[in-house]
């Protein structure tokens, strides 16, 4: 009996030791600091989220075009004494001792001369300048490492074609297509060298981590030599979303973040395919983290759109900007949930948007309204909510992946406007891991 009790206690301890080991990377995009009204997120607004996060990723640093040094993208906000966001963010570690805070560079936020990311990879001297300045920046402001969210060229979006257009496209494919990057092999080798050099520089400092983020619509098979880099990095964050966006696909609305391929779609444009590339190339599952976007992609619907709302359907460019984020084609989660609610419940009043869930748990949630005679425009919205965030976390758990990333906290309902609970997407993902 005593032996049985000891065995049961041992198994309980072993089970307990595995609980909470999944990573939860929480991205904080600092541009949210300068938004207006309810969308403005200050560092103190992060506090309710941080008990759920293992890592806080501060975005974004950039590259100085002439020197190739890593620099803050907003000096006044990031390092000036009046704000000093770098130190404010890393100081959260005193309250949350287990939290790792990384500085992310790139992230599609560094818009000045984006070709500099490729040019840097072509030059050993430029890589050295970047690595040395990046490590110095991280050490000076007490970051625990660097996230290389590299701005590689993106593959071209799918186009809607007529029958003759499809035939001609097929003929062109037979004879090859023009790549988006005519030096892709050189840039692949250069990025491998950069990862190796950054790892060597960080290893001199105690407990510094190196993460790599695969941005949306970047062909990982082209740029990421998995066997060469996987032992050098601590985390690979796969941003498997934005397969369809109103900027890339203005005339066709579709699921932006499918977990698996919807019928008759490109078989590689989904999260499972993105994850599978790394697993098939022998990346340890525990190093892979799957991103969950907290924002929606929106399209205008017009008279040519299908009234059923089932994607893919004809669209007419990006949807109108939301009242908080003020960017065409994108809504934060609280902006979406506000549109799903009829606040006055008046008889005969049309609800803003009709929500359509996904019982298959494979493609995602969407909501829509068709245009009507009253002049109210049509809208189609692809988004993640707490239910689909939980489904993606369940996928991560089933695949024994390392965890999830929340991209980003400022687009989650950090004020609790929807139901009163702050950070519902983050919470739902954390609870399902």
């Amino acid at each position: 009996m005593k032996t049985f009790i000891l065995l049961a206690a041992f198994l309980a301890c072993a089970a307990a030791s595995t609980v909470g080991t999944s990573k939860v990377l929480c991205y904080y995009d600092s541009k949210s600091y300068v938004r207006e009204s309810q969308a403005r997120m200050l560092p103190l607004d992060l506090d309710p989220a941080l008990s759920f996060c293992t890592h806080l990723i501060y975005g974004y640093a950039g590259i100085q075009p002439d020197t190739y040094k890593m620099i803050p993208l907003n000096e006044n906000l990031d390092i000036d004494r009046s704000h000093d966001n770098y130190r404010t963010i890393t100081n959260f570690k005193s309250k949350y001792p287990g939290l790792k805070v990384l500085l992310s560079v790139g992230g599609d936020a560094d818009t000045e001369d984006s070709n500099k990311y490729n040019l840097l990879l072509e030059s050993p001297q430029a890589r050295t300048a970047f690595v040395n300045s990046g490590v110095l920046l991280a050490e000076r402001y007490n970051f625990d490492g660097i996230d290389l969210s590299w701005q590689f060229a993106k593959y071209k979006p799918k186009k809607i074609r007529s029958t003759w257009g499809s035939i001609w496209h097929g003929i062109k494919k037979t004879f090859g297509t023009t790549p988006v990057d005519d030096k892709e092999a050189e840039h692949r080798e250069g990025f491998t060298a950069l990862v190796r050099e950054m790892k060597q520089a960080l290893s001199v400092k105690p407990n510094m981590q190196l993460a790599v983020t695969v941005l949306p619509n970047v062909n990982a098979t082209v740029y990421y030599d998995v066997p060469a880099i996987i032992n050098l990095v601590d985390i690979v964050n796969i941003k498997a979303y934005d397969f369809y966006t109103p900027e890339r696909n203005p005339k066709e609305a579709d699921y932006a973040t499918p977990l698996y391929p919807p019928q008759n779609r490109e078989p590689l444009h989904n999260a499972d395919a993105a994850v599978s590339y790394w697993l098939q190339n022998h990346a340890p599952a525990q190093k892979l983290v799957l991103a969950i976007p907290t924002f929606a992609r929106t399209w205008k619907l017009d008279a040519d759109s299908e009234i059923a709302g089932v994607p893919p359907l004809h669209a007419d460019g990006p949807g109108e900007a939301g009242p908080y984020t003020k960017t065409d084609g994108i809504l934060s989660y609280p902006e979406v949930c506000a549109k799903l609610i009829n606040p006055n419940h008046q008889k005969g009043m049309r609800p803003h948007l009709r929500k359509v869930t996904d019982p298959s748990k494979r493609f995602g949630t969407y909501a829509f309204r068709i245009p009507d005679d009253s002049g109210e425009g049509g809208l189609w919205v692809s988004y993640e909510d707490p239910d689909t965030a939980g489904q993606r976390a369940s996928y991560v758990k089933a695949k024994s992946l390392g965890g999830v990333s929340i991209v980003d906290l400022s687009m989650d309902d950090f004020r609790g406007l929807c139901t009163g609970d702050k950070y519902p997407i983050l919470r739902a993902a954390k609870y399902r891991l």
Side-chain angles (χ1 to χ4, degrees):
M1 182 68 178
K2 185 176 181 180
T3 302
F4 176 79
I5 293 173
L6 290 172
L7 178 61
F10 172 79
L11 293 174
C13 290
S17 67
T18 64
V19 175
T21 57
S22 294
K23 301 178 185 68
V24 181
L25 277 60
C26 296
Y27 275 73
Y28 169 55
D29 189 340
S30 60
K31 71 181 180 184
S32 61
Y33 192 104
V34 297
R35 293 187 186 127
E36 299 176 1
S37 183
Q38 300 281 17
R40 188 185 188 200
M41 178 184 242
L42 305 181
L44 286 178
D45 293 317
L46 294 168
D47 201 352
L50 295 183
S51 61
F52 299 94
C53 306
T54 61
H55 294 70
L56 180 60
I57 315 295
Y58 187 97
Y60 290 90
I63 298 173
Q64 192 170 37
D66 54 344
T67 66
Y68 295 105
K69 291 183 177 181
M70 188 189 300
I71 57 170
L73 282 182
N74 187 332
E75 287 193 9
N76 179 57
L77 180 63
D78 295 334
I79 60 176
D80 187 81
R81 288 185 179 182
S82 60
H83 294 101
D84 203 10
N85 259 12
Y86 278 5
R87 293 193 193 279
T88 302
I89 293 298
T90 56
N91 283 344
F92 275 116
K93 292 189 290 182
S94 61
K95 183 174 182 180
Y96 301 95
L99 184 70
K100 299 293 184 183
V101 185
L102 273 58
L103 178 61
S104 185
V105 57
D108 286 335
D110 186 5
T111 56
E112 182 186 355
D113 186 17
S114 60
N115 193 46
K116 63 192 173 186
Y117 282 82
N118 281 341
L119 294 175
L120 185 150
L121 298 179
E122 297 170 14
S123 165
Q125 294 78 17
R127 294 199 306 265
T128 298
F130 175 80
V131 167
N132 291 342
S133 59
V135 173
L136 182 63
L137 201 61
E139 187 177 28
R140 178 179 296 170
Y141 293 98
N142 199 27
F143 286 99
D144 296 298
I146 290 172
D147 170 40
L148 297 175
S149 192
W150 211 253
Q151 295 181 184
F152 286 113
K154 299 182 183 298
Y155 55 75
K156 296 177 182 179
K158 173 190 172 184
K159 294 181 180 179
I160 303 176
R161 296 183 176 88
S162 65
T163 302
W164 284 110
S166 298
I167 293 172
W168 174 239
H169 179 67
I171 294 172
K172 289 196 296 182
K173 285 188 68 175
T174 302
F175 294 97
T177 57
T178 303
V180 295
D181 176 4
D182 58 6
K183 292 185 176 180
E184 57 188 29
E186 182 179 355
H187 296 150
R188 176 188 178 98
E189 292 177 5
F191 186 72
T192 299
L194 177 66
V195 169
R196 181 173 58 250
E197 293 156 7
M198 181 65 80
K199 181 65 174 180
Q200 289 172 347
L202 288 173
S203 296
V204 178
K205 313 298 178 182
N207 303 315
M208 295 287 268
Q209 295 188 358
L210 177 59
V212 165
T213 290
V214 184
L215 291 175
N217 300 309
V218 166
N219 190 337
T221 67
V222 168
Y223 293 113
Y224 295 92
D225 186 346
V226 178
I229 69 172
I230 196 61
N231 292 326
L232 302 172
V233 301
D234 300 286
I235 300 167
V236 176
N237 178 33
I238 303 173
K239 288 189 173 181
Y241 56 79
D242 279 357
F243 295 104
Y244 273 77
T245 72
E247 292 77 24
R248 290 170 60 83
N249 315 91
K251 296 299 183 182
E252 187 173 19
D254 208 342
Y255 296 108
T257 317
L259 193 54
Y260 294 95
Q263 189 175 10
N264 299 323
R265 310 299 207 283
E266 164 58 55
L268 298 180
H269 292 180
N270 59 87
D272 183 63
V275 169
S276 295
Y277 168 71
W278 291 84
L279 293 176
Q280 290 165 3
N281 283 274
H282 310 294
Q286 280 297 310
K287 286 193 175 185
L288 305 183
V289 168
L290 181 62
I292 301 174
T294 56
F295 53 87
R297 293 298 186 179
T298 71
W299 287 260
K300 291 180 183 177
L301 298 185
D302 58 19
D304 294 327
S305 306
E306 295 290 335
I307 62 172
V310 179
L313 70 165
H314 184 274
D316 186 26
E320 291 184 2
Y324 304 147
T325 50
K326 297 183 179 179
T327 304
D328 289 345
I330 191 169
L331 295 173
S332 65
Y333 177 64
E335 287 174 323
V336 173
C337 73
K339 289 182 176 292
L340 299 174
I341 300 170
N342 177 352
N344 299 316
H345 299 285
Q346 295 175 0
K347 186 175 180 180
M349 182 177 177
R350 291 176 73 237
H352 270 52
L353 293 174
R354 174 188 171 192
K355 177 181 178 179
V356 181
T357 58
D358 175 24
S360 73
K361 302 179 181 180
R362 296 174 64 87
F363 313 131
T365 296
Y366 65 88
F368 73 99
R369 66 166 181 259
I370 59 174
D372 63 11
D373 295 336
S374 70
E376 185 175 14
L379 184 67
W380 198 90
V381 182
S382 175
Y383 68 103
E384 304 298 310
D385 60 13
D387 288 337
T388 59
Q391 291 161 14
R392 289 174 83 83
S394 294
Y395 170 89
V396 164
K397 188 173 182 180
K399 292 283 188 177
S400 300
L401 303 184
V404 299
S405 65
I406 307 299
V407 187
D408 68 283
L409 293 178
S410 73
M411 293 286 200
D412 199 350
D413 186 14
F414 68 91
R415 297 191 184 277
L417 301 176
C418 297
T419 64
D421 293 327
K422 295 182 178 180
Y423 296 103
I425 291 178
L426 167 62
R427 290 170 182 264
K430 174 68 173 179
Y431 291 150
R432 294 285 287 275
L433 288 175

